[in-house]
Amino acid sequence: MGAMRVTSQLLIDRALRNINFQSRQIMALQEQLATGRRVNRPSDDPINARRAVNVRALIEKNDQYVANISFISSPVAETYTSLETVLGYFNRGWELTVQGANGTNAQSQLDTIALEVNQIIEGIFSTANHESNGRYVFGGTRTGAPPYEAVRDANGEITAVNYVGNAEAVQVAISDILNLTYNEPGSGVFSASQDIFETLIDVRDNLRAGDTAALSSVRLPEMETVREQLLSAMARVGSIQNRLERSTEEFEDFNLQLSIQLSDTVDADFAEVIMRLNAQDNAFQAALSAAARAIQPSLLQFLQ
């Protein structure tokens, strides 16, 4: 094997290549310090760059589910509050019905009780048409208009209430496999087995007619059915609230772990990078010194 002839040009080229290589190394380390990331482009580390893309996609997807949950949390909470309000009205109506059914009240007293029952009907009617951020919560998917319409007599009192919403479910995705139904159509809350408005209107009219027997034998059993309807609806909405809270906590925990994984994949170790940068700077200075010696012209070359 013949010996390779080492010329001055070869030494110069090799020295310049070494300088360029050391410069690129220093530039890469400086970029890591500036960005805080060890992987700034796929070419830096193709495998970990791909992993980082996958992890970021998972984080973004989880963030979207959390946003969906946040979006529906308010109407769900307002639905529960509305049901609590209706139950409070209704429990007062129950007390008044029991009071009117005991058979010891004069008709004037029954009329006074009927006036309060009438106000309870108005209060429940108003709450059944509760609007949240431009959407009526008890209308099913018909959320742009009040779901209940009242029929009134010449005195302005409600004689009937009609449901004009629908029983359709409103759903939102809160995971890869679950679209959660989060609304409560009024037909399932106020009239599933017994119509709350019809019952209270009959209570009011029975009080005014002095029909205490109907109050005790018919209205009170009907009110028991209505009360169970309301409690069942509240239980359903409460379970949805619990599910949303648990799902939010779960996704936040997932994203925390994914963020740690992403950091381990692409983030730079500042202490290590600084140590490598110092070592690289020393190597660069050595390359410059070697190049200076390699390209220093001789006296003969100068004279030529």
Side-chain angles (χ1 to χ4, degrees), residues 113-128:
I113 295 173
L115 286 175
E116 186 173 351
V117 172
N118 190 64
Q119 292 304 310
I120 288 172
I121 295 170
E122 293 285 355
I124 294 177
F125 174 73
S126 176
T127 303

Side-chain angles (χ1 to χ4, degrees), residues 77-91 127 138 230 234:
E78 291 194 42
T79 299
Y80 190 85
T81 300
S82 296
L83 290 174
E84 281 186 318
T85 301
V86 170
L87 184 61
Y89 278 128
F90 185 77
N91 285 338
T127 303
F138 294 115
L230 294 175
M234 291 181 68

Side-chain angles (χ1 to χ4, degrees), residues 211-228:
D211 192 351
T212 57
L215 291 174
S216 60
S217 63
V218 180
R219 304 300 163 234
L220 285 176
E222 288 178 351
M223 296 183 84
E224 177 66 32
T225 301
V226 171
R227 186 171 181 273
E228 289 301 319

Side-chain angles (χ1 to χ4, degrees), residues 21 87 160 203 259 304:
F21 174 77
L87 184 61
V203 167
S259 296
Q304 290 175 346

Side-chain angles (χ1 to χ4, degrees), residues 28 34 36 40 44 60 77 99 102-103 109 138-139 172 176 188 197 201 275:
N40 289 286
D44 292 339
E60 290 175 1
Q99 181 181 340
N102 64 23
Q109 293 173 308
F138 294 115
V172 68
D176 290 343
F197 296 106
I201 289 170
M275 181 179 65

Side-chain angles (χ1 to χ4, degrees), residues 5-302:
R5 183 169 176 268
V6 179
T7 65
S8 297
Q9 187 62 44
L10 179 62
L11 291 174
I12 292 171
D13 291 342
R14 179 65 59 85
L16 291 176
R17 281 200 300 271
N18 287 338
I19 291 173
N20 288 334
F21 174 77
Q22 300 297 342
S23 297
R24 289 195 299 271
Q25 294 295 103
I26 290 174
M27 185 184 301
L29 292 170
Q30 288 175 336
E31 183 181 31
Q32 291 182 25
L33 287 177
T35 63
R37 294 193 300 271
R38 181 177 57 82
V39 181
N40 289 286
R41 57 187 62 82
S43 59
D44 292 339
D45 188 338
I47 294 177
N48 280 326
R50 179 60 182 173
R51 288 173 180 167
V53 170
N54 292 336
V55 172
R56 289 192 182 100
L58 287 173
I59 292 174
E60 290 175 1
K61 182 174 65 174
N62 290 345
D63 284 342
Q64 183 58 59
Y65 288 138
V66 171
N68 290 351
I69 292 171
S70 177
F71 175 76
I72 68 174
S73 292
S74 178
V76 170
E78 291 194 42
T79 299
Y80 190 85
T81 300
S82 296
L83 290 174
E84 281 186 318
T85 301
V86 170
L87 184 61
Y89 278 128
F90 185 77
N91 285 338
R92 178 55 180 165
W94 184 302
E95 294 173 2
L96 294 173
T97 303
V98 172
Q99 181 181 340
N102 64 23
T104 61
N105 298 286
Q107 185 57 47
S108 60
Q109 293 173 308
L110 295 177
D111 290 341
T112 300
I113 295 173
L115 286 175
E116 186 173 351
V117 172
N118 190 64
Q119 292 304 310
I120 288 172
I121 295 170
E122 293 285 355
I124 294 177
F125 174 73
S126 176
T127 303
N129 283 324
H130 178 71
E131 182 183 9
S132 172
N133 197 25
R135 299 167 64 89
Y136 291 89
V137 298
F138 294 115
T141 57
R142 186 180 180 272
T143 59
Y148 283 95
E149 294 178 348
V151 178
R152 298 180 182 272
D153 61 16
N155 296 321
E157 291 187 347
I158 295 176
T159 58
V161 175
N162 300 317
Y163 182 63
V164 294
N166 60 43
E168 299 297 323
V170 180
Q171 296 184 328
V172 68
I174 64 167
S175 74
D176 290 343
I177 60 174
L178 178 61
N179 290 331
L180 179 69
T181 298
Y182 67 90
N183 68 320
E184 278 290 328
S187 56
V189 175
F190 302 112
S191 56
S193 299
Q194 181 66 40
D195 191 296
I196 186 173
F197 296 106
E198 181 181 333
T199 298
L200 290 172
I201 289 170
D202 287 341
V203 167
R204 180 196 64 192
D205 294 345
N206 289 158
L207 287 166
R208 287 173 174 169
D211 192 351
T212 57
L215 291 174
S216 60
S217 63
V218 180
R219 304 300 163 234
L220 285 176
E222 288 178 351
M223 296 183 84
E224 177 66 32
T225 301
V226 171
R227 186 171 181 273
E228 289 301 319
Q229 285 176 187
L230 294 175
L231 291 175
S232 295
M234 291 181 68
R236 290 192 299 270
V237 177
S239 66
I240 292 172
Q241 286 183 301
N242 291 335
R243 178 62 181 272
L244 295 178
E245 290 175 3
R246 289 196 299 270
S247 294
T248 299
E249 293 173 357
E250 182 179 21
F251 283 124
E252 288 175 348
D253 288 343
F254 284 159
N255 277 358
L256 176 60
Q257 296 303 317
L258 289 171
S259 296
I260 294 173
Q261 181 180 342
L262 181 62
S263 177
D264 292 342
T265 302
V266 301
D267 285 357
D269 183 334
F270 284 101
E272 179 184 354
V273 173
I274 291 172
M275 181 179 65
R276 290 176 57 196
L277 182 60
N278 289 333
Q280 202 67 52
D281 185 64
N282 292 333
F284 179 68
Q285 296 300 327
L288 287 176
S289 178
R293 287 194 297 270
I295 66 177
Q296 183 174 6
S298 66
L299 177 60
L300 178 61
Q301 290 171 324
F302 178 75

